[in-house]
Amino acid sequence: MQQLKDQKAVLQEVWKKRPLIISGPCSAETEEQVLETATRLANTGKVDMLRAGIWKPRTRPGSFEGIGTKGLPWLLQAKKITGLPTAVEVATAKQVEDALHFDVDVLWIGARTTVNPFSVQEIADALKGVDVPVLIKNPINPDLELWTGAVERVAKAGINQIGLIHRGFSSYGNTEYRNAPMWHLAIEMKRRNPDMLFINDPSHICGRRDILLDVAQEAINLDFDGLIIESHIDPDKAWSDAKQQVTPERLAEMLDQIIWRREDIPSEELHAALEKFRQQINQLDDELMLLLSQRMKVAEKIGQYKKDNNITILQTKRWNEILERACKKGDKMGLSKEFVTKYLDAVHMESINHQNKVFHG
Ligand code: PEP
Ligand code: MN
């Protein structure tokens, strides 16, 4: 009983630690692999929690689908040896029950499960009356409502320690990343849940080792609370996600290379300097809004002219001209083509809406 109490106390400390670093293999494979990974991770002194997949929902059949319940005692043993709390992915009520039976400290809901409200509800029902922290990965598709829905289901089950894991979103024909980070969605989710633990998963975003550090740094720059990074004693021979895993020692090196940032600003002086820049930004934003509203007034005049002369609102040739002209100009001014296109797209849609109002007026 005393031991159980200590475990809970350790976990509470770990949950509050910033940055919170979770690592371990994509999958538990053998007892030796789990114990050696855990020991080497603990030896780095930089890891707070051990992760390992026991049940692996795979996109296609035929790949390793997890060692199953048999691997849970290995994790318990790893915890006994290293003192690291453990985290496991669960996708069904039975898995929740088994994981808790073997004293897993933190459960996480994987991206392929978050997409399915039935599965999430099944997990939530199994969690009723249980005191265990739950991490919820974003769904594989870029849908914040699904992610939020999963959070709500788990919260309604009475779980009060909930964390979020941003692991990127799948999109057809991904190139650089295995799962596109779509940072803007992570930022919006953080805005909606300012007090919730928010962790980044560079491993599943990157799908490869060489860009892990860049993504991890980007997450820290964006004020994430921690990282979950897969590690393996022999990454190339891993039974799942071999390309993205690193050795515990390489992980420690990466963690040393990251520039850790924090949201609060340390000195008065820095605060004053930043405040000055922020005022400039506010001023410029006000001017941009004013210009945009003037632009819409001109669009309304054009709308009236088109209406009076029976001309369509959309003039594709003119639209292409605007885009081309702006991209060329933007390039000279240090604005990326991607940004200029997105910005003009939004302006154009707003302009069409204003013209539509004139047409229906
Ligand atoms: C994992 O963490 O090994 C995993 C399967 O992740 P995701 O649910 O993000 O694909
Ligand atoms: Mn994995």
Side-chain angles (χ1 to χ4, degrees):
M1 197 62 199
Q2 181 58 34
Q3 201 192 355
L4 205 66
K5 252 197 200 149
D6 291 348
Q7 265 183 40
K8 288 268 176 227
V10 168
L11 188 62
Q12 292 318 311
E13 283 305 304
V14 166
W15 191 260
K16 279 187 277 176
K17 180 163 171 291
R18 299 292 179 270
L20 175 60
I21 308 296
I22 306 173
S23 187
C26 176
S27 304
E29 299 164 4
T30 65
E31 181 167 16
E32 296 70 40
Q33 172 244 11
V34 169
L35 297 186
E36 189 180 333
T37 313
T39 312
R40 281 166 54 180
L41 284 172
N43 286 345
T44 68
K46 297 176 193 299
V47 173
D48 308 301
M49 197 183 291
L50 178 68
R51 62 147 284 155
I54 292 287
W55 304 278
K56 306 295 300 176
R58 307 312 299 267
T59 302
R60 308 263 310 264
S63 7
F64 177 56
E65 295 196 321
I67 202 75
T69 312
K70 180 179 154 191
L72 290 171
W74 309 340
L75 282 182
L76 189 55
Q77 183 62 14
K79 172 162 56 175
K80 280 196 186 130
I81 295 174
T82 62
L84 292 174
T86 53
V88 156
E89 172 175 354
V90 289
T92 65
K94 175 77 169 72
Q95 291 170 4
V96 171
E97 194 189 305
D98 287 354
L100 294 175
H101 181 73
F102 284 95
D103 269 346
V104 169
D105 298 282
V106 171
L107 305 177
W108 90 77
I109 299 181
R112 287 164 195 75
T113 306
T114 309
V115 290
N116 185 341
F118 284 144
S119 300
V120 175
Q121 192 56 53
E122 179 185 325
I123 296 169
D125 290 341
L127 287 170
K128 279 190 185 134
V130 179
D131 178 22
V132 66
V134 178
L135 297 166
I136 305 177
K137 288 202 175 197
N138 67 255
I140 46 179
N141 53 327
D143 185 339
L144 290 191
E145 300 317 314
L146 265 180
W147 199 0
T148 303
V151 171
E152 286 167 352
R153 286 176 200 278
V154 172
K156 272 196 183 155
I159 298 293
N160 48 38
Q161 280 181 292
I162 299 180
L164 302 166
I165 301 179
H166 168 235
R167 51 77 82 195
F169 304 88
S170 67
S171 63
Y172 190 68
N174 271 339
T175 49
E176 191 182 5
Y177 300 106
R178 177 176 173 194
N179 291 293
M182 302 192 190
W183 295 106
H184 59 290
L185 293 183
I187 291 168
E188 172 59 13
M189 195 62 179
K190 189 168 155 56
R191 194 191 63 76
R192 290 189 194 181
N193 302 280
D195 301 323
M196 214 170 260
L197 175 68
F198 203 31
I199 291 181
N200 183 257
D201 175 349
S203 304
H204 292 89
I205 290 178
C206 299
R208 49 190 249 219
R209 275 167 223 140
D210 59 329
I211 53 172
L212 281 177
L213 184 58
D214 291 341
V215 168
Q217 182 67 63
E218 188 140 4
I220 296 308
N221 294 349
L222 290 173
D223 195 32
F224 274 80
D225 297 316
L227 302 167
I228 178 167
I229 298 183
E230 288 181 344
S231 56
H232 194 283
I233 47 171
D234 191 354
D236 285 331
K237 297 219 175 81
W239 297 3
S240 60
D241 289 354
K243 287 202 192 105
Q244 69 198 32
Q245 304 205 55
V246 290
T247 61
E249 295 70 29
R250 174 62 196 141
L251 173 81
E253 256 171 43
M254 279 173 33
L255 293 173
D256 277 341
Q257 283 167 16
I258 290 175
I259 301 164
W260 299 99
R261 304 183 194 276
R262 50 176 193 264
E263 193 179 20
D264 57 319
I265 305 156
S267 79
E268 276 292 309
E269 211 176 308
L270 274 181
H271 202 280
L274 205 55
E275 202 42 50
K276 227 169 97 192
F277 289 134
R278 284 180 172 163
Q279 274 168 18
Q280 280 179 28
I281 293 274
N282 284 351
Q283 180 69 31
L284 288 166
D285 278 345
D286 287 352
E287 282 173 30
L288 283 171
M289 297 259 266
L290 189 66
L291 287 172
L292 282 170
S293 101
Q294 284 170 0
R295 192 191 189 284
M296 293 310 154
K297 296 228 163 64
V298 178
E300 283 165 17
K301 281 188 194 152
I302 293 180
Q304 191 60 48
Y305 182 83
K306 287 177 182 165
K307 183 183 180 188
D308 295 344
N309 292 282
N310 275 335
I311 304 173
T312 55
I313 291 181
L314 182 63
Q315 303 267 313
T316 309
K317 197 163 149 266
R318 167 72 183 141
W319 172 228
N320 280 332
E321 248 172 52
I322 293 181
L323 266 180
E324 205 177 312
R325 191 172 156 269
C327 284
K328 265 195 203 137
K329 267 204 143 162
D331 189 45
K332 287 197 192 111
M333 296 170 143
L335 300 172
S336 72
K337 191 172 169 194
E338 192 201 356
F339 167 72
V340 173
T341 313
K342 267 196 194 146
Y343 155 75
L344 271 180
D345 229 5
V347 170
H348 188 227
M349 276 320 295
E350 182 72 6
S351 168
I352 287 177
N353 290 342
H354 278 254
Q355 295 184 56
N356 257 326
K357 261 192 215 140
V358 173
F359 267 51
H360 294 123

